[in-house]
Amino acid sequence: MKKRILVSGLLLTVGGWVSDLCAQGGPGMGLPSLAPVSLTKTELVPCPAVTLGRPIAIRPTAVKREPAATGIVPAAYQVPMGEYPGAMPVVPPFPAPREGLPAWPDDEEADEQAPQPSGFASDRPEKKVVLAKSVSIAPLVLLPPVATIASSVPKVVQVKHQPEMLPPVPTTKAPPPPARLPEAFASSGHDFWSPESDADPLRPHFYAAAEYLSWWTKADHVPALVTTGDPNNVNANGRFGFLGQSSTQTLFGDGSINGGPRSGVRITAGYWLDMFQEEGVEISGFVLGQKSNHFNASSADFPVLARPFFNLNTNSEFSELVAFPGLSTGRVSVDNRSNLWGIEANQRCNLLCCCDRRIDLFGGFRYLDLDESINIVEDINGLGTAPAPFTNQRALVFDRFATHNSFYGGQLGLDSEFRRGRWFLDVKGKLGIGVTDSKVTIDGGQTFVNADGTRRQVQGGLLALSSNIGKYHKDHFSFVPEVGMNLGYQVNDNIRVFGGYNVLYWTGVLRPGDQIDRALDVTRIPNFPVAGTALGGEPRPAPTFKASDFWAHGITVGVEFRY
């Protein structure tokens, strides 16, 4: 009984094995050849593994089709470059564009439309190879050591579409870097690059700023020009306003004038020559409003009005009387003015630029202009008790001292900006080196109006006489440093506001008050009632050409527009 069961099982096993071979097909009776198959190294063929996801088209020349004898048709695979002769390079690991490929139907629609094959191999229709949409490299697969089949029917394996496993595509993607950087950028030494379309909104070419200035300027020093005294003083020198007397009071001068704040405006405009803001041109100019003082005194307020000076003939303090009880009445006025403005043109070059700071070097031409003057006018009415020729005579006397300083020179400076959010701090320093061309104008005269209405004019007033009247010119080598600091806020992409402090210094400047020589030879004063002996040597008064420095400093408030 046991032998029968063993023989029956053996026969069933052999029969099933033979049936399987016959179903697959073989030579002759449908039996496969039992000759052993020898596999060599050259017959090992790389076979791709089945990949997930939708099939991706690959280049036809990169596919090596296997013989149909294997019974397995690969879905898709690629041959690495250099693996086989004539193989094409591997496609880069980027999804291939789908333009020009047939639409990929949905899985359910494809399953419903495709004809369902029967369970018999002979009823299966011949299908074309479906290439999987994948770029994976298939591993090597060794064929099993089965008998070589002489003739066989190709068997196509349909690869069913698998759910797509591609990573999610980001909504925004940065543009890939260019294959070659622009030549202008490559030579600039920057470590970043942005396309031109992204640079224009962030890096405007044109900018302009308007600033309100409230600056203090250095005052001009002038000697005592108008004094008063006590006509009842027992000391005769104290009656006529001579300096150095206890009863003498200085009404104007012997101190500083034209100091204090003044308002002004500064306009700046510039243009960047490239989109990286590395080179640009800029022009800037400022003007301060005229600073002027007016002094007026009359005998109605001060019975004694005098103009003091130093008498070289007596080597003592002296004065000219404008008003004195019993001699004359009158008034005296002093006017002085000061104007300051400047303009500059520079070329800018960027030295450092990063996310929170920027430093620019600039250089160019600078011009400064300072125009000042002092005018002194006397209006004297002689009384009937006045000695001749001043009896009932009117005299108009004036002295004028004016200076005009012009600076011409080149300048070099640094402009640095530090940013934190919308706030920024701008620090600028520059130094101008050049020549100050100074002009001095001194003039004076007297006009006498007699009782009958006739007039007589002579040259020379009191401090401006024939010895110093004229126009003079002098040059000085000058430095003009300037430092400014502003704190500002970026309102939007185009507008920002700021405020700060500015200091300007100028050497080698002539001021009108320094050009007054109060040491006089009384013999040169026209119609002076006190006689004296003419002096030899250098005539006095004389032009002094005394130079000093000048400064201006104050606060600035402005707005800047960028486009």
Side-chain angles (χ1 to χ4, degrees):
M1 187 64 180
K2 293 181 178 180
K3 291 181 180 181
R4 291 179 182 178
I5 294 175
L6 181 60
V7 172
S8 299
L10 181 60
L11 292 176
L12 289 175
T13 301
V14 173
W17 179 65
V18 173
S19 299
D20 188 37
L21 293 178
C22 292
Q24 295 182 12
M29 297 296 294
L31 297 177
S33 176
L34 299 180
V37 178
S38 61
L39 299 177
T40 63
K41 185 177 182 179
T42 57
E43 294 177 344
L44 299 180
V45 180
C47 181
V50 178
T51 58
L52 299 179
R54 293 185 176 182
I56 300 176
I58 61 176
R59 302 180 182 178
T61 54
V63 179
K64 182 175 178 63
R65 299 182 182 275
E66 297 297 330
T70 61
I72 299 177
V73 177
Y77 66 88
Q78 293 178 342
V79 179
M81 187 173 183
E83 186 78 21
Y84 295 97
M88 295 184 65
V90 180
V91 179
F94 297 102
R98 298 184 178 182
E99 289 76 11
L101 295 180
W104 188 267
D106 294 337
D107 298 339
E108 297 180 359
E109 296 178 0
D111 294 340
E112 294 175 0
Q113 297 176 4
Q116 302 296 328
S118 64
F120 299 94
S122 59
D123 295 335
R124 297 174 186 170
E126 183 178 357
K127 296 183 179 180
K128 297 182 180 180
V129 177
V130 180
L131 300 181
K133 219 171 188 183
S134 172
V135 295
S136 302
I137 304 300
L140 295 178
V141 178
L142 298 181
L143 297 178
V146 298
T148 304
I149 302 175
S151 62
S152 61
V153 178
K155 189 175 183 180
V156 179
V157 178
Q158 182 178 5
V159 179
K160 188 177 181 180
H161 169 62
Q162 299 294 336
E164 187 169 349
M165 303 297 291
L166 296 177
V169 180
T171 56
T172 59
K173 185 183 296 182
R180 182 177 65 88
L181 295 179
E183 296 180 359
F185 173 81
S187 61
S188 64
H190 286 272
D191 55 354
F192 64 92
W193 182 85
S194 59
E196 182 177 358
S197 60
D198 294 338
D200 286 342
L202 302 178
R203 300 171 183 265
H205 287 273
F206 175 78
Y207 61 92
E211 302 174 60
Y212 167 76
L213 309 178
S214 180
W215 285 5
W216 285 258
T217 58
K218 183 181 179 181
D220 185 16
H221 184 272
V222 296
L225 298 179
V226 181
T227 59
T228 186
D230 182 7
N232 301 318
N233 196 298
V234 295
N235 185 359
N237 292 337
R239 300 175 187 174
F240 305 109
F242 293 173
L243 292 178
Q245 302 297 319
S246 59
S247 60
T248 299
Q249 180 183 357
T250 301
L251 300 180
F252 186 86
D254 195 20
S256 299
I257 61 174
N258 276 338
R262 65 175 83 177
S263 298
V265 63
R266 175 163 55 189
I267 303 297
T268 304
Y271 185 81
W272 293 106
L273 302 178
D274 62 313
M275 69 177 184
F276 298 108
Q277 297 185 353
E278 292 184 339
E279 294 184 2
V281 292
E282 179 182 283
I283 185 170
S284 177
F286 76 94
V287 57
L288 291 182
Q290 177 175 292
K291 181 70 174 180
S292 60
N293 291 318
H294 179 74
F295 169 81
N296 186 48
S298 68
S299 57
D301 299 321
F302 303 96
V304 176
L305 287 175
R307 295 189 58 192
F309 63 90
F310 187 80
N311 190 341
L312 292 175
N313 305 88
T314 61
N315 200 26
S316 63
E317 291 290 338
F318 214 77
S319 70
E320 176 197 44
L321 292 176
V322 176
F324 193 84
L327 293 178
S328 63
T329 59
R331 62 184 180 87
V332 59
S333 63
V334 181
D335 292 298
N336 65 286
R337 63 177 180 83
S338 176
N339 291 310
L340 175 66
W341 64 278
I343 191 171
E344 59 185 283
N346 299 298
Q347 181 174 2
R348 302 177 71 97
C349 179
N350 178 249
L351 298 180
L352 172 65
C353 182
C354 56
C355 59
D356 61 349
R357 66 182 62 90
R358 177 187 178 91
I359 299 178
D360 292 341
L361 173 70
F362 63 90
F365 173 80
R366 180 160 201 179
Y367 174 80
L368 290 175
D369 190 280
L370 178 62
D371 189 9
E372 299 177 299
S373 65
I374 297 176
N375 296 305
I376 309 167
V377 177
E378 306 172 32
D379 188 356
I380 307 172
N381 295 306
L383 300 178
T385 57
F390 300 105
T391 305
N392 297 325
Q393 189 180 58
R394 183 183 180 187
L396 299 175
V397 182
F398 79 94
D399 293 325
R400 183 173 187 268
F401 297 85
T403 59
H404 187 191
N405 299 273
S406 301
F407 172 81
Y408 304 87
Q411 73 173 358
L412 196 67
L414 288 175
D415 187 3
S416 58
E417 181 179 297
F418 304 92
R419 297 180 293 272
R420 191 175 186 86
R422 288 181 176 266
W423 293 93
F424 66 90
L425 177 66
D426 181 76
V427 180
K428 181 185 295 184
K430 48 190 171 183
L431 175 63
I433 302 176
V435 176
T436 297
D437 179 30
S438 300
K439 296 181 176 64
V440 179
T441 301
I442 301 176
D443 194 11
Q446 296 181 12
T447 301
F448 294 94
V449 181
N450 299 321
D452 57 1
T454 59
R455 291 174 176 266
R456 180 171 60 92
Q457 294 181 345
V458 296
Q459 186 185 45
L462 175 65
L463 301 176
L465 302 176
S466 59
S467 57
N468 63 345
I469 289 177
K471 295 182 178 181
Y472 307 93
H473 175 271
K474 194 172 183 62
D475 292 334
H476 297 274
F477 183 76
S478 299
F479 295 93
V480 181
E482 183 177 355
V483 179
M485 178 181 297
N486 291 318
L487 178 65
Y489 182 79
Q490 189 81 33
V491 179
N492 53 38
D493 292 341
N494 303 106
I495 299 176
R496 61 180 186 172
V497 295
F498 59 90
Y501 199 81
N502 201 96
V503 178
L504 171 69
Y505 191 81
W506 185 1
T507 64
V509 176
L510 299 184
R511 311 294 299 275
D514 295 331
Q515 312 312 311
I516 298 176
D517 183 7
R518 61 183 305 272
L520 308 180
D521 180 359
V522 294
T523 61
R524 295 181 176 274
I525 302 176
N527 302 311
F528 195 68
V530 179
T533 304
L535 301 177
E538 180 183 1
R540 301 289 294 274
T544 62
F545 299 112
K546 181 181 177 181
S548 62
D549 54 1
F550 178 82
W551 47 256
H553 67 93
I555 60 175
T556 64
V557 178
V559 58
E560 182 178 0
F561 174 76
R562 295 185 175 187
Y563 177 75

